[in-house]
Amino acid sequence: MSELYPPQDLYALFEESFQARIHALEPDCSLANMANYQFGWAHGGGGKRVRPLLVLALAQAFGGEIRTAMPAAMAVETLHNATLVHDDIEDNGPLRHGVPALWKEYSTPLALNFGDYLYALSGIFLLETNWGLDNQARAYQFYQEAFLGVTRGQHLDLHGNPDSNRYLTMIRLKTGALFRLSFQLGFLASGRQFSNELKEIADAGMLLGISFQVQDDILGIWGDSEITGKSNRSDLLEQKLSLPVVYGLEKSPGFQKLWHEGIHDRALAEQAAQLLDDLGAETFCKEKAADCQAKAEQLLVKYIKKQDPLAQPFYTILEAILKRER
């Protein structure tokens, strides 16, 4: 049996390996500084690393070796950050994880170029996997499909105010696609071959990605600021489109009027939140997230048994993701 890594060890191993690999690749001091900034190392630590941890934990759950899955985990995290760099520019988003976004810190041209750099680098990491020709070809196909999905999703995001169905399609393409890719690569890294089993595992990843984003949307309005470290009305103050907001725009002329006039201060944000409360927007979103989680678990338990010691880190990570408060 391969060595069993608990979640905290998987995180530490990924961070150490990823940081060393990034720094070894980049002799240019300026690019290295931008990498340190974007990946969080300049601020005292990395992010949650949800997607690479899912790659590693799923590979382990299926009996694979962590070292075999590591390049794929790096590819997913690098691709994810490339999309964030470009999204922040396209959305004119000034902050990312409580600090100035990369484009605000380094300028738009440098950030655009760095996003392109990360896209290229993610593809290089994927090519460093050594899974046999069939699995290598599948991995590349899945990677390109995810890349295309994220791009399509961002197009919808930039295309104006959607209804709730269109918004859910958008997050399925953006967040869902990268979760799906994480599950696909974790499966292939274990040495298993393409099958109906993989299709259902991938579908579970997609559903969990949607649930993850909806939870993020809930926390942006109703999260405990003591836990999240930011205002619990931050998404309203920044007028960020989210599922509760889209629901409010569909259901309430009063909320629609307030939103389009602009939410300029805390008092207006509280008024908007009250309108959403009156509509039952939080309950609607929680039910949507719970439904996606339940459907995903029905698929996962067919192939990954919770009592299997190798699967326990995977389910621990999932529980932390699905019950997070920040």
Side-chain angles (χ1 to χ4, degrees):
M1 184 171 110
S2 58
E3 184 177 357
L4 179 61
Y5 290 88
Q8 64 273 20
D9 288 355
L10 284 177
Y11 183 92
L13 182 61
F14 177 77
E15 278 300 285
E16 180 183 355
S17 302
F18 188 45
Q19 191 169 4
R21 189 73 181 88
I22 291 287
H23 289 166
L25 268 171
E26 193 42 65
D28 185 289
C29 184
S30 177
L31 276 172
N33 288 340
M34 293 182 77
N36 284 335
Y37 191 90
Q38 178 62 27
F39 291 117
W41 301 319
H43 315 304
K48 297 183 183 75
R49 308 298 191 224
V50 169
R51 294 154 191 82
L53 285 179
L54 287 172
V55 174
L56 299 177
L58 189 64
Q60 180 171 257
F62 280 112
E65 297 282 349
I66 294 303
R67 60 179 176 78
T68 305
M70 188 62 74
M74 293 183 187
V76 170
E77 183 64 10
T78 307
L79 176 59
H80 171 56
N81 274 272
T83 69
L84 297 182
V85 171
H86 282 180
D87 284 7
D88 286 341
I89 295 168
E90 291 163 356
D91 299 339
N92 200 34
L95 297 175
R96 171 66 60 182
H97 300 311
V99 299
L102 192 76
W103 70 275
K104 293 292 285 185
E105 185 72 11
Y106 283 93
S107 81
T108 298
L110 280 174
L112 277 171
N113 186 67
F114 187 74
D116 292 342
Y117 168 77
L118 292 183
Y119 280 125
L121 194 56
S122 64
I124 288 173
F125 287 148
L126 191 67
L127 291 174
E128 291 176 355
T129 55
N130 186 21
W131 301 341
L133 288 178
D134 286 347
N135 277 7
Q136 201 80 36
R138 290 289 183 186
Y140 184 74
Q141 174 190 344
F142 296 148
Y143 172 87
Q144 292 296 331
E145 288 171 352
F147 195 166
L148 188 61
V150 172
T151 305
R152 286 172 169 163
Q154 180 66 356
H155 175 77
L156 288 177
D157 200 5
L158 295 168
H159 210 258
N161 292 349
D163 58 27
S164 56
N165 287 332
R166 189 162 175 260
Y167 179 83
L168 288 167
T169 297
M170 183 266 289
I171 64 174
R172 175 179 61 80
L173 288 167
K174 288 183 69 173
T175 311
L178 288 181
F179 270 68
R180 182 184 180 92
L181 178 63
S182 299
F183 278 53
Q184 290 167 324
L185 295 181
F187 182 95
L188 292 175
S190 72
R192 302 205 176 200
Q193 300 299 311
F194 183 77
S195 62
N196 286 332
E197 182 180 15
L198 172 54
K199 291 178 183 178
E200 293 199 317
I201 292 292
D203 287 345
M206 175 70 75
L207 287 163
L208 289 170
I210 295 170
S211 179
F212 180 87
Q213 183 59 58
V214 173
Q215 288 178 80
D216 203 53
D217 291 353
I218 293 168
L219 291 173
I221 296 175
W222 294 286
D224 185 337
S225 58
E226 293 292 322
I227 298 174
T228 62
K230 61 180 182 179
S231 165
N232 63 348
R233 307 297 190 222
S234 59
D235 284 4
L236 295 174
L237 286 164
E238 295 170 16
Q239 293 210 250
K240 176 183 173 185
L241 274 181
S242 63
L243 187 58
V245 166
V246 170
Y247 186 78
L249 291 172
E250 281 185 300
K251 302 294 183 181
S252 169
F255 181 84
Q256 189 177 100
K257 181 174 184 293
L258 186 61
W259 183 262
H260 291 309
E261 287 178 352
I263 299 174
H264 305 299
D265 55 37
R266 179 78 187 189
L268 289 173
E270 291 295 340
Q271 184 181 341
Q274 185 59 58
L275 287 169
L276 292 178
D277 288 340
D278 294 342
L279 289 171
E282 184 179 9
T283 299
F284 169 78
C285 293
K286 285 183 174 179
E287 288 175 350
K288 178 60 67 176
D291 180 59
C292 289
Q293 290 176 28
K295 289 176 180 176
E297 185 164 334
Q298 287 174 2
L299 294 172
L300 289 173
V301 297
K302 293 165 62 176
Y303 307 109
I304 309 173
K305 305 304 179 186
K306 289 186 176 180
Q307 62 271 27
D308 183 348
L310 286 176
Q312 287 171 10
F314 171 71
Y315 279 111
T316 299
I317 290 168
L318 272 191
E319 184 176 6
I321 291 169
L322 299 177
K323 295 184 178 179
R324 76 194 193 283
E325 296 181 315
R326 66 177 69 222

